[in-house]
Amino acid sequence: ATVSVLNWRRPVTSREGYTAMWIPRLLLAFAAACAAEVRVVMYTGDGADATGAASQRSCLEKHDGGGFNVSTAARITAEVLSTADVLVLPGGDAFYFTQGAIDIPAVQAFVRRGNGYYGTCAGAYAGCKDIAFAAAANRSLAAQIAASGNQGMGLSDTTCHMFFSTGLTTSELTPAGRQVFGSVGDLTLTHVNGPYFAPKTATAAAVFASSTSGEAAGQPSVVVDTYGTGRSILLSPHPEDPSNLHCDIVVKA
């Protein structure tokens, strides 16, 4: 069975081929490469959504194929990351990159040297290279983003655009997304103000359906990318929402 935090393959010469051959499977391949379980550390400190994080952890720990060793941490430091293969920043109500609880250089070094990053909603904003935000939309959030210089941790070469919407959204998988998530159909997932993405060199794995309200329609809702020799996946919606649970998406991301 394939268990890969990212399933690396040699690139081919065309950009289309490059995209298809370098698609990551962000929580399913280190065991295949290392003959060991994937060590996942999940941030559960200030601002993290405790319910969502617990659900995400449950999905991984109850995965039929096993292979995941999940721990939690209220602070993310180089020491914490030294025993992990993948860092998960779950959804939440804060921009993690403005908090002292997360050592940003340590996270960047961790991914750069070949590990994985999985960010959902707030965690996706944190992983973006930069953030486009209308200050008039929410002064508190605008202040947080301004404090960061309108930049995330840069683990994915993409811009996060604020998308204020709560409820179910449908995302259509791209060919790259079908490689990541397998044969699942379109994704109908819970969305709680997560971003839509404007990828630069990142690859769209799913796009918001044309029926989505506002300017997010047709824009990427999931992106995958490389950072150094590591890899990242950013998800706008919440497959871990207990009221609309999709553990298959959590595990295959």
Side-chain angles (χ1 to χ4, degrees):
T2 336
V3 185
S4 75
V5 173
L6 285 173
N7 199 1
W8 290 103
R9 302 177 187 176
R10 290 286 180 185
V12 293
T13 53
S14 74
R15 178 62 189 173
E16 180 179 1
Y18 178 94
T19 297
M21 296 295 285
W22 286 70
I23 295 304
R25 292 201 171 196
L26 186 36
L27 282 177
L28 292 178
F30 267 101
C34 307
E37 60 190 358
V38 181
R39 301 167 300 174
V40 179
V41 62
M42 182 177 298
Y43 175 70
T44 54
D46 289 347
D49 173 40
T51 300
S55 178
Q56 206 164 13
R57 180 176 185 174
S58 177
C59 283
L60 296 174
E61 291 181 334
K62 294 179 180 179
H63 173 50
D64 287 344
F68 299 109
N69 181 348
V70 186
S71 62
T72 60
R75 297 183 63 85
I76 301 299
T77 64
E79 182 179 2
V80 168
L81 293 170
S82 68
T83 57
D85 301 310
V86 179
L87 170 63
V88 175
L89 291 195
D93 60 5
F95 286 86
Y96 299 134
F97 48 82
T98 65
Q99 296 183 1
I102 295 176
D103 184 335
I104 294 174
V107 172
Q108 292 168 327
F110 169 76
V111 181
R112 189 184 296 117
R113 65 175 177 261
N115 296 299
Y117 176 84
Y118 178 163
T120 304
C121 195
Y125 283 113
C128 280
K129 186 172 185 178
D130 44 34
I131 300 168
F133 181 71
N138 185 306
R139 290 183 180 179
S140 174
L141 294 182
Q144 290 188 56
I145 294 171
S148 75
N150 285 52
Q151 293 183 329
M153 293 188 287
L155 304 176
S156 178
D157 191 13
T158 187
T159 297
C160 273
H161 289 264
M162 302 295 294
F163 175 31
F164 289 103
S165 174
T166 301
L168 295 180
T169 57
T170 298
S171 292
E172 300 165 351
L173 291 172
T174 65
R178 286 192 287 274
Q179 289 194 36
V180 174
F181 297 112
S183 59
V184 297
D186 292 344
L187 311 178
T188 300
L189 303 173
T190 301
H191 179 263
V192 187
N193 301 325
Y196 69 85
F197 303 103
K200 298 169 186 176
T201 60
T203 299
V207 298
F208 285 112
S210 58
S211 58
T212 305
S213 62
E215 59 187 14
Q219 299 298 322
S221 57
V222 180
V223 292
V224 293
D225 205 356
T226 59
Y227 183 78
T229 58
R231 7 338 168 189
S232 64
I233 185 165
L234 309 182
L235 294 88
S236 175
H238 292 267
E240 79 286 355
D241 175 22
S243 67
N244 181 36
L245 187 60
H246 290 267
C247 280
D248 56 330
I249 302 302
V250 173
V251 170
K252 292 177 181 177

